[in-house]
Amino acid sequence: MNLEDVFVTEGVPQFTFVRPPNFSQLLVDVRRAGMPVIVEGQSGTGKTTTVKQVLLEIYPDNVPKLLSPREPQDLPLIDEINISSGPNIFIIDDFHRLNDTSKRRIADLAKVIAERDDRSNLPKLVIIGINNVGSDLIQLVPDVAKRIGIHRIAPGTRDSITQLINAGCDHLNITISPIEEIVNESRGDYWLTQQICRTVCLSVGVDRTQENKRDITWNSSLVNQLVVEKLHHNYDPAVKEFCRGRRFRPTNDPYYKLLRAVSEQESSNVDLNELANSRPEIKGSINNVKDHRLKVLLEQKEMCSRLFYYDPETKGFAIEDPALFYYLRNLDWDSLRQRCGFRNAEEDYEFDIAISFAGENRDFANFLVDSLKNLDISVFYDRHYEDNYLGGPWSKYFQEIFAQRSRLVVALLDQYHKEKLWPTFERDCFALRIPNGEVIPVFLDDTLFPGIPMDLVSIKYQFNGNLEEEKNSIMQNVVLRIVSKLDSI
């Protein structure tokens, strides 16, 4: 036998297919006329492969075609499915990739079919999608739940992954050791197991069944590198998109640091609070994004949201695709950093900007904060962090934030800033940073400040007090100049 027919990475494995425990239940529901069926599970669990095997056993002479939103030519065919489509079977793969309108239409159709007593002349729907596609569809049409078959394909167990490897080895007349390392690396992903085993064989020149029994000891570093190269085109665009954030800046690398730290964990499900506390050298970067920025990134970048999950309430970050986690664990992160265009820097900041102002200018400050956040810039703004510091002294936190934990300080300077107690304290905190160019003074009037030279390059903006009238002017003359400074660091 040829290697590619044994360890299969495209199509249905003939010799190394491992039936999931609920295979028979799924087969019965797919065979049942008209009953809509949903097959869900995380990437790599073999959902599509299992459905194909079920179809092969039910329709050995005429296996129905799978339709997928990934294929442009399939979209019109999916749109044409309706109650009058006759007793044909329609398998919709990657259901989660359909637009909301198409999802609801298919969900409504499933409901109509499920409610009929006589379904002999109605279309049969089999829907395949990632985790929770069944519950998501039920949310679209709540009363359909009891009338459809929902089957979750779970990741492979250690026994089933071992069974797959041993079956392939038997057909190729080889043994692979250590087999346990492949089991651990695959994390229950059948496709990844097939890919690693295939790469192991190729790395030692085995491309077909051996005449004499052959024992293979594999070089994990070499094999991991080869598999990562194979996975590169699948994951690199989304990984780079994630690492570069919503708006690229050469110093805007907290997403990169977070993802690299996650890749170094034993589990692909991570509590970001715990991760930040366990990694003091990048604690600032993790805190920089975990409260707001990470949620917005995944909301705005669909490419990233398909691969990464984040719950801003629990601070739980998850990579559900074992092949992606394998890719990240074995990735050359220094090379990725260069390809992202980040500068090398030892400093780690919790905030890009800390804003110092007097209470009389809060509306102005609030507009700056919102504008900078919309440009994916993290800002320390007292109102947003009061709950974090309840029970502690502001003086201690302000000292740390304005002196150390922010990349730059933006100070809204006027007579109020000079006269008020807290703004004066903040100036004392960031005074030593002024000669280093780490403070951006925004003069709102002509008040003189000891320690801030008049010839210091600064922003001068005469605010008339009407924020609505001046928003465009503030954006052009203040916000974008601050952003330009960040870009140049």
Side-chain angles (χ1 to χ4, degrees), residues 304-357:
C304 299
S305 65
R306 291 200 299 264
L307 298 181
F308 307 107
Y309 171 79
Y310 183 57
D311 185 336
E313 297 298 323
T314 64
K315 301 298 185 283
F317 182 83
I319 300 170
E320 296 186 336
D321 181 352
L324 171 59
F325 192 55
Y326 172 94
Y327 174 79
L328 295 174
R329 284 173 63 86
N330 294 285
L331 188 61
D332 183 339
W333 284 92
D334 291 332
S335 172
L336 175 62
R337 184 179 183 88
Q338 290 181 346
R339 288 188 288 110
C340 285
F342 294 129
R343 297 196 186 107
N344 291 320
E346 297 298 326
E347 300 89 349
D348 188 69
Y349 297 102
E350 186 168 346
F351 305 100
D352 295 312
I353 298 290
I355 187 165
S356 174
F357 61 97

Side-chain angles (χ1 to χ4, degrees), residues 132-202:
N132 301 321
V133 70
S135 58
D136 289 346
L137 187 144
I138 290 168
Q139 293 302 316
L140 292 174
V141 186
D143 52 350
V144 77
K146 296 179 180 179
R147 303 183 183 93
I148 61 178
I150 300 179
H151 300 267
R152 178 174 173 77
I153 307 300
T157 63
R158 300 187 74 83
D159 287 344
S160 63
I161 296 296
T162 301
Q163 178 186 341
L164 185 162
I165 299 170
N166 286 334
C169 288
D170 290 344
H171 283 95
L172 293 171
N173 197 26
I174 61 173
T175 61
I176 295 177
S177 64
I179 192 174
E180 191 69 15
E181 191 166 342
I182 299 177
V183 175
N184 292 336
E185 288 282 9
S186 70
R187 296 175 181 263
D189 187 309
Y190 292 110
W191 180 90
L192 182 57
T193 304
Q194 300 270 7
Q195 184 65 64
I196 294 175
C197 289
R198 187 167 170 172
T199 307
V200 165
C201 292
L202 290 173

Side-chain angles (χ1 to χ4, degrees), residues 36 63 83 114 121 126 129 157 170 174 182 193 199 222 242 245 253 263 272 352 355 361 376 395 420 427 441 446:
V63 179
I83 195 69
N121 290 312
V126 178
T157 63
D170 290 344
I174 61 173
I182 299 177
T193 304
T199 307
L222 172 61
F242 180 93
D253 64 354
S263 76
L272 294 192
D352 295 312
I355 187 165
N361 294 311
D376 197 28
S395 56
K420 293 294 187 69
R427 287 200 309 279
D446 297 326

Side-chain angles (χ1 to χ4, degrees), residues 340-458:
C340 285
F342 294 129
R343 297 196 186 107
N344 291 320
E346 297 298 326
E347 300 89 349
D348 188 69
Y349 297 102
E350 186 168 346
F351 305 100
D352 295 312
I353 298 290
I355 187 165
S356 174
F357 61 97
E360 287 77 3
N361 294 311
R362 184 168 290 280
D363 288 345
F364 189 101
N366 193 60
F367 177 73
L368 288 186
V369 171
D370 289 344
S371 300
L372 291 169
K373 286 176 66 176
N374 287 336
L375 294 170
D376 197 28
I377 293 170
S378 64
V379 185
F380 174 76
Y381 179 52
D382 55 3
R383 286 256 174 103
H384 291 171
Y385 292 92
E386 285 177 347
D387 290 352
N388 295 18
Y389 302 123
L390 286 175
W394 268 127
S395 56
K396 173 188 174 184
Y397 301 126
F398 275 30
Q399 173 67 39
E400 294 174 354
I401 290 164
F402 285 101
Q404 300 167 347
R405 289 162 57 186
S406 55
R407 189 180 300 276
L408 293 175
V409 173
V410 171
L412 305 184
L413 302 176
D414 62 0
Q415 61 175 339
Y416 301 114
H417 201 287
K418 186 174 184 178
E419 295 169 356
K420 293 294 187 69
L421 178 63
W422 274 109
T424 299
F425 175 74
E426 293 166 9
R427 287 200 309 279
D428 291 340
C429 294
F430 62 69
L432 293 177
R433 305 184 68 180
I434 294 174
N436 300 328
E438 297 171 359
V439 177
I440 301 176
V442 180
F443 286 102
L444 301 180
D445 63 19
D446 297 326
T447 303
L448 300 178
F449 289 82
I452 303 180
M454 289 303 296
D455 65 345
L456 189 70
V457 179
S458 59

Side-chain angles (χ1 to χ4, degrees), residues 4-21:
E4 63 271 22
D5 296 326
V6 176
F7 290 121
V8 177
T9 57
E10 304 89 17
V12 181
Q14 182 179 353
F15 307 108
T16 53
F17 175 75
V18 178
R19 290 189 171 195

